[in-house]
């Protein structure tokens, strides 16, 4: 030791010193008198596997190869071949509740999601935002030393909270993800997304590339996250939550993928369902003697394929070709991810989970649609546009929003009955694949089939069990809510193991059920079949799903005591999980009192990013409104002054060849009104006046003068316009595709001082408004 140095000694920090609390070293006045201390970094356990959860939207039980589909899915086949197929896995009937349950392990109402995040009913089980005392799977994994990434559909943020200035407490990066890229919405366009969010900010995109496709974009970003991590840290495990926007409508696919399936569905939905069911039986997914539940629906039946005329069959087959092409794109996405894991040498050390949020959807109705947002506003007024006819060759492309008829949803849900939104198996029994070659290697005599009951709340505790992570007891200083799910890891390891999950309630919009040890009590919302009935008086049906997995033999009359027992169990679970009050179909029509400001006047200055979709829609929905652009003295400038919408619906105001042009896109039917712009004019606008139930007259205004009109057009309601307001160009999806082809986004070449929107009071019968709000919320799940 040198004569000028001294050995470190115990710290003698005076009482008035600040900032040293928790310091584990010694602090003196000089370095010679001090000992540094570095807190231990949280690192994952040695050998911790990566975790990849792939969640698909609105995909039924039978839509992939491992569960009987004719659609080639080689990458999903690979996962099934390496791992396990759960044939008795259940989820919730709608998407936000399923996502909340998957990511928290809580029953959906306890997590706050008794419905989709497109309402605000004002009850504990319907907060539609994550609470402060709820841990999420990524939060726990990040605390255990994982990098955490999310891409795709989120839908755990109320639509009223998607805009700047609103709370972000339920956004992905506030709930445990290091990085996020995707759509906060419940659905989106695959060619022209209305808004994409990176981490905590909306992306300021004017125009997507010509070859853009959302699934490819999401996949590119997921791969980029993993590559970026490995460039900086070769050992840190990662959690990737890949929540596809597909298969939610509107159905859109790449032309090359659609071509792969051309003609595949000319045989129709009856033949496809028969063939899928035969493959399921042959592959052991169900025991011999299981009966197909085709068309045992009571009010939701579909016609026999052979009863349709040739033109209808062609159009219906085209819808399903697009759906199959979207399944292909999902499988290709998985293939790209597996290829990266192979390249990194990490495939064996990665847990891969593949499932879907609910069963196939009947939202296409009996006939399907080529005008998605018009059809699903569910307007019953005379003269409403409904399904707008379009060329069959446009089906699946960027100009249309389409959905298939419910006959294809029946094929999707083979062999079950009913659909998304309902508590019968067609709505809640979905495929689940789990693979981990290094940690869950199958024995030679194990076929990988798992027939034990499992529920969506089990995924988070199972994954935490497999990786050896434990959730903290507190979150943000509050006692953390205990999870409802249980680990089914032992079921994965041992084909003879019994399921630890023996009871489970379900409820969604008045559809309800209760499962206990192979018995299932079920009831549709009674108002579905009789609008005059009471939502609080369920008509219970009872099934022994061990011998009757397709729920065909109602045993309620034979076992009334079991019905009473399980009905009481449902009531007890409902109170224990904040299910009550059950609002039924009215749940989607309720909005909190804080949303009136969305219709307040707004002045948009040059350079304002595209206004968020929900805020934009509230300025014009079901009311008189006006939008006025102030410009420098007109001297021949051209371009778009304002635009609101995309190819599926909207309006725009632009100047071209000396004329001001108002274009109105009524769900794919385009009308224009034009008038010359006088030299020196400084104001151009549009005025909309309600003329009857869900109809408008539109006026093109220059200065104070009405110079042209478009009369008696259907209003833009529900989810339309899907893309928000842009000024000075027509950003993202084009309101007028022909103008986009000629001019691109067509930026205004002159001075644009501002655009001001002013809204009148709502002008519609309350019962019509309630119906529109209800259908809007139901469709966005």
């Amino acid at each position: 030791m040198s004569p000028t140095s001294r050995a470190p000694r115990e710290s003698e920090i005076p009482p008035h010193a600040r900032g040293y609390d928790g310091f584990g070293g010694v602090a003196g006045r000089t370095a010679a008198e001090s000992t540094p201390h570095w807190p231990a970094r949280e690192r994952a356990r040695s050998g911790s596997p990566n975790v990849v959860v792939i969640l698909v939207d609105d995909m039924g039980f039978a839509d992939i190869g491992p569960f009987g589909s004719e659609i080639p899915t080689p990458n999903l086949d690979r996962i099934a071949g390496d791992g396990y197929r759960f044939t008795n896995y259940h989820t919730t009937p709608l998407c936000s509740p399923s996502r909340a349950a998957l990511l928290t392990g809580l029953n959906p109402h306890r997590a706050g999601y008794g419905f989709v995040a497109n309402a605000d009913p004002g009850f504990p089980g319907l907060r539609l935002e994550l609470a402060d005392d709820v841990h999420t799977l990524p939060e726990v994994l990040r605390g255990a030393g994982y990098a955490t990434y999310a891409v795709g559909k989120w839908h755990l943020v109320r639509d009223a909270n998607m805009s700047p200035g609103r709370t972000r407490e339920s956004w992905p990066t506030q709930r445990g993800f290091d990085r996020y890229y995707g759509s906060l919405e419940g659905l989106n366009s695959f060619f022209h997304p209305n808004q994409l969010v990176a981490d905590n900010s909306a992306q300021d995109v004017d125009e997507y590339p010509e070859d853009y496709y959302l699934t490819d974009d999401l996949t590119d970003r997921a791969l980029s996250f993993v590559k970026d991590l490995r460039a900086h840290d070769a050992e840190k495990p990662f959690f990737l939550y890949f929540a596809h926007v597909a298969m939610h409508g509107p159905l859109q696919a790449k032309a090359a993928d659609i071509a792969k399936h051309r003609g595949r569905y000319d045989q129709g939905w009856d033949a496809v369902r028969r063939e899928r069911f035969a493959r399921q039986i042959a592959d052991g997914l169900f025991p011999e003697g299981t009966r197909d539940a085709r068309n045992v629906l009571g009010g939701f039946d579909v016609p026999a394929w052979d009863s349709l005329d040739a033109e209808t069959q062609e159009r219906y087959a085209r819808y399903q070709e697009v759906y199959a092409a979207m399944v292909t794109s999902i499988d290709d996405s998985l293939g790209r991810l597996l290829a990266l894991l192979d390249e990194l040498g990490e495939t064996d050390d990665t847990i891969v989970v593949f499932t879907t949020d609910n069963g196939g959807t009947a939202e296409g109705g009996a006939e399907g649609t080529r005008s998605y947002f018009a059809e699903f506003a569910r307007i019953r007024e005379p003269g409403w546009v409904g399904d707008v006819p379009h060329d069959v060759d446009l089906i699946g492309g960027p100009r249309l929003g389409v959905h298939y008829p419910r006959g294809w949803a029946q094929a999707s849900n083979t062999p079950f009955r009913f659909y998304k939104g309902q508590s019968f198996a067609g709505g809640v029994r979905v495929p689940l694949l789990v693979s981990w070659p290094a940690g869950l290697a199958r024995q030679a005599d194990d076929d990988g089939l798992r027939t034990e009951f499992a529920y969506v709340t089990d995924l988070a505790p199972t994954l935490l069990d497999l990786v050896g992570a434990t959730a903290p007891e507190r979150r943000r200083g509050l006692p953390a809510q205990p999870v409802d799910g249980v680990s089914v890891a032992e079921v994965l390891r041992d084909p003879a193991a019994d399921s630890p999950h023996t009871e489970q309630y379900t409820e969604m919009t008045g559809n309800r059920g209760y499962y206990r040890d192979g018995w299932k009590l079920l009831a549709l919302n009674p108002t579905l079949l009789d609008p005059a009935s009471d939502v609080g008086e369920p008509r219970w049906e009872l099934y022994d799903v061990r011998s009757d997995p397709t729920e065909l033999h109602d045993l309620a009359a034979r076992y009334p005591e079991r019905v009473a027992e399980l009905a009481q169990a449902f009531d007890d679970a409902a109170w224990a999980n904040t299910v009550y009050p059950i609002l039924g179909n009215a749940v989607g029509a309720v909005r909190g009192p804080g949303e009136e400001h969305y219709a307040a006047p707004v002045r948009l200055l040059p350079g304002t990013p595209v206004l968020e979709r929900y805020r934009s829609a509230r300025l014009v929905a079901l009311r008189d409104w006006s939008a006025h652009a102030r410009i420098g003295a007109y001297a021949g400038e051209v371009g778009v002054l304002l635009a609101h919408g995309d190819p599926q619906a909207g309006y725009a105001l632009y100047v071209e060849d000396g004329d001001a042009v108002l274009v109105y896109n009524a769900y794919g039917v385009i009308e224009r009104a034009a008038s010359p712009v006088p030299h020196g004019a400084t104001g151009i606008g549009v005025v909309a006046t309600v003329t009857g139930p869900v109809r408008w007259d539109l006026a093109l205004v220059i200065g104070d003068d009405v110079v042209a009109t478009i009369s008696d057009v259907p209003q833009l309601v529900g989810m339309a316009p899907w893309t928000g307001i842009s000024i000075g160009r027509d950003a993202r999806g084009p309101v007028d595709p022909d103008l986009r082809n000629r001019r691109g986004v067509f930026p205004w070449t002159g001075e644009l001082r501002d655009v001001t929107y002013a809204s009148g009071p709502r002008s519609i019968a309350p019962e019509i408004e309630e119906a529109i709000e209800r259908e809007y919320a139901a469709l966005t799940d």
Side-chain angles (χ1 to χ4, degrees):
M1 181 178 297
S2 71
T4 58
S5 65
R6 292 182 295 174
R9 54 186 173 77
E10 290 189 12
S11 184
E12 296 178 359
I13 300 174
H16 61 272
R18 294 188 295 183
Y20 295 96
D21 294 345
F23 176 56
V26 176
R29 287 185 172 82
T30 67
E33 298 173 329
S34 305
T35 303
H37 172 72
W38 292 272
R41 286 192 304 156
E42 184 67 56
R43 297 190 66 85
R45 296 190 317 170
S46 177
S48 293
N50 304 315
V51 178
V52 175
V53 173
I54 298 171
L55 181 66
V56 181
D57 202 322
D58 289 1
M59 175 182 279
F61 186 86
D63 281 333
I64 59 175
F67 286 81
S69 180
E70 71 292 337
I71 303 170
T73 52
N75 298 296
L76 287 165
D77 295 347
R78 174 183 171 185
I79 296 298
D82 290 339
Y84 303 88
R85 288 179 287 174
F86 280 71
T87 64
N88 198 10
Y89 169 75
H90 290 64
T91 184
T92 85
L94 292 179
C95 86
S96 293
S98 294
R99 289 155 206 274
L102 187 158
L103 288 171
T104 66
L106 273 64
N107 285 327
H109 295 80
R110 283 191 62 229
Y113 291 85
F115 191 59
V116 294
N118 297 89
D120 189 12
F123 293 102
L126 295 162
R127 292 187 307 273
L128 306 179
E129 294 281 336
L130 291 167
D132 282 345
D133 60 353
V134 174
H135 282 302
T136 66
L137 178 59
E139 286 173 340
V140 179
L141 289 174
R142 183 161 67 182
Y146 275 69
T148 56
Y149 305 118
V151 295
K153 171 177 170 175
W154 184 241
H155 208 195
L156 293 175
V157 176
R158 277 206 306 268
D159 47 16
N161 287 337
M162 292 189 297
S163 55
R166 303 289 290 183
T167 177
R168 280 168 160 72
E169 287 302 302
S170 289
W171 285 40
T173 53
Q174 274 67 258
R175 301 308 303 211
F177 287 106
D178 299 329
R179 301 292 310 277
Y180 169 69
Y181 179 75
S183 172
L184 298 178
E185 301 272 16
L187 59 97
N188 225 315
S189 166
F190 289 85
F191 295 104
H192 305 292
N194 67 345
Q195 180 172 279
L196 293 174
V197 170
D199 300 329
N200 233 22
S201 301
Q203 297 298 280
D204 193 10
V205 176
D206 273 356
E207 186 175 13
Y208 293 97
E210 187 174 346
D211 61 350
Y212 181 88
Y213 189 68
L214 180 58
T215 301
D216 293 340
D217 186 15
L218 298 175
T219 307
D220 290 344
R221 193 61 62 104
L223 299 180
S224 175
F225 286 159
V226 175
K227 291 176 182 178
D228 185 42
L229 174 66
R230 285 294 169 258
H232 293 85
D233 192 323
E235 298 179 355
K236 191 179 184 75
F238 64 84
F239 169 48
L240 172 63
Y241 173 61
F242 195 145
H244 281 276
V245 176
M247 307 291 295
H248 201 294
L251 304 181
Q252 296 176 319
K254 294 179 288 187
D257 286 341
I258 296 174
K260 296 173 185 176
H261 299 279
R262 186 69 77 213
R264 185 186 296 275
Y265 296 101
D266 292 351
Q267 61 181 322
W269 48 57
D270 296 316
V272 168
R273 179 156 175 144
R274 283 194 302 269
E275 292 169 2
R276 289 186 177 186
F277 184 50
R279 283 189 288 269
Q280 290 171 342
I281 295 295
D283 207 20
L285 272 63
F286 300 100
E288 292 287 346
T290 300
R291 287 181 53 203
D292 182 8
R294 158 89 165 93
N295 247 2
V296 185
L297 295 173
F300 293 88
D301 295 349
V302 299
W305 183 261
D306 291 343
S307 70
L308 305 174
D309 62 56
E311 181 180 351
T312 301
Q313 287 182 345
E314 179 189 13
R315 184 170 79 254
Y316 289 3
R318 291 290 183 93
Y319 290 137
Q320 181 63 8
E321 290 168 3
V322 177
Y323 185 90
M326 294 173 71
V327 175
T328 293
S329 74
I330 287 173
D331 191 74
D332 289 347
S333 168
L334 173 60
R336 293 178 62 197
L337 179 57
L338 293 177
L340 176 58
L341 292 173
D342 290 343
E343 177 69 23
L344 295 171
E346 299 183 33
T347 304
D348 288 350
D349 296 318
T350 300
I351 301 171
V352 177
V353 175
F354 178 93
T355 189
T356 178
D357 61 353
N358 46 248
T361 177
E363 68 190 35
E367 299 180 356
T369 185
R370 290 154 288 183
S371 50
Y372 189 76
F373 293 151
E375 182 72 13
F376 301 121
R378 303 297 191 210
I379 305 296
R380 307 304 181 199
E381 295 299 310
W384 181 252
V385 290
D387 178 30
V388 178
H390 290 285
D391 188 330
V392 69
D393 290 333
L394 295 177
I395 289 175
R399 293 189 68 150
L400 299 188
V402 308
H403 215 297
Y404 62 29
R406 65 177 176 237
W408 291 118
Q410 278 201 6
S412 179
N413 294 334
T414 305
F416 306 121
R417 59 182 175 132
F418 289 111
Y419 313 95
K420 164 187 175 180
Q422 292 146 356
S423 50
F424 284 73
V428 299
R429 196 161 169 177
V430 297
L432 172 65
L433 300 174
V434 180
S435 171
W436 181 16
L440 292 170
R442 275 185 11 209
Q443 301 301 311
D445 59 348
D446 187 349
D447 62 7
L449 287 178
R450 295 295 184 266
T451 60
E452 295 297 318
F453 180 89
Y455 191 60
V456 60
T457 54
D458 300 335
L459 289 181
T462 299
L463 291 169
L464 293 177
D465 185 1
L466 292 173
V467 307
T470 303
E473 294 182 356
R474 303 182 71 83
R475 184 182 189 277
R476 289 196 170 182
L478 300 171
Q481 291 196 40
V483 301
D484 298 299
V486 293
S487 172
V488 294
E490 193 58 30
V491 175
L492 286 162
R493 296 187 179 105
D494 181 1
D498 292 330
S499 173
H501 199 137
T502 58
E503 297 191 43
Q504 182 61 48
Y505 85 90
T506 188
E507 188 279 329
M508 195 63 55
T509 63
N511 300 300
R512 63 204 90 182
Y514 198 85
Y515 171 88
R516 175 184 283 171
D517 291 329
W519 290 93
K520 195 172 177 185
L521 190 71
L522 293 169
L524 291 175
N525 179 342
T527 66
L528 284 175
L529 302 179
D530 179 7
S533 60
D534 184 349
V535 72
E537 298 293 334
R539 304 170 188 176
W540 292 114
E541 302 174 24
L542 178 68
Y543 299 93
D544 182 350
V545 293
R546 294 162 297 189
S547 59
D548 180 21
T550 53
E551 302 163 355
L552 288 173
H553 305 294
D554 180 10
L555 303 176
R558 186 184 303 180
Y559 301 110
E561 71 288 347
R562 192 175 293 275
V563 171
E565 171 193 335
L566 295 180
Q568 183 60 54
F570 174 86
D571 189 65
D572 293 343
W575 282 117
N577 288 278
T578 63
V579 174
Y580 290 139
I582 292 176
L583 303 184
N585 292 332
V587 62
V590 183
R591 292 281 176 174
E595 294 194 19
E596 293 91 344
H597 76 281
Y598 281 110
V602 59
R603 179 175 173 238
L604 304 175
L605 299 176
T608 300
V610 176
L611 204 63
E612 188 274 322
R613 185 267 308 171
Y614 186 72
R615 162 69 156 133
S616 298
R618 286 316 198 202
L619 287 168
V620 303
L622 306 174
R623 62 179 81 241
D624 295 346
W625 58 272
S626 64
H628 289 278
R630 292 196 307 153
I631 61 175
Y634 180 70
E637 295 84 1
V638 299
V640 172
L641 295 169
L642 62 92
H644 185 186
D646 49 45
Q648 297 185 57
Y651 59 90
L653 187 62
Y654 64 91
V655 178
E656 186 179 32
D657 299 329
D659 286 340
V661 181
L662 171 63
V663 57
Y664 190 74
N665 182 336
Y667 307 98
V669 176
I670 292 179
E671 295 187 55
R672 299 178 182 85
S675 181
V677 182
H679 189 81
T682 58
I684 304 175
V686 55
V687 175
T689 305
V690 175
T691 58
V694 292
R695 311 292 290 188
W696 276 327
D697 281 349
L698 300 176
L700 172 63
V701 177
I702 299 179
D704 295 326
D705 299 325
V706 174
V707 295
T709 59
I710 300 175
S711 300
D712 194 34
V713 293
Q715 291 185 27
L716 305 173
V717 298
M719 292 183 295
W722 184 247
T723 299
I725 297 166
S726 55
I727 66 169
R729 77 277 192 220
D730 182 7
R732 301 175 187 169
V735 172
D736 184 344
D738 293 335
L739 180 66
R740 175 65 60 87
N741 290 338
R742 293 198 315 272
R743 295 282 200 166
V745 298
F746 203 17
W748 176 247
T749 60
E751 178 189 2
L752 177 59
R753 295 176 179 172
D754 56 35
V755 173
T756 300
Y757 272 78
S759 304
R762 290 264 179 155
S763 180
I764 191 169
E767 64 273 14
I768 299 176
E769 180 176 3
E770 179 179 330
I772 292 170
E773 292 285 0
R774 183 171 62 245
E775 296 296 339
Y776 157 79
L779 186 57
T780 51
D781 66 358

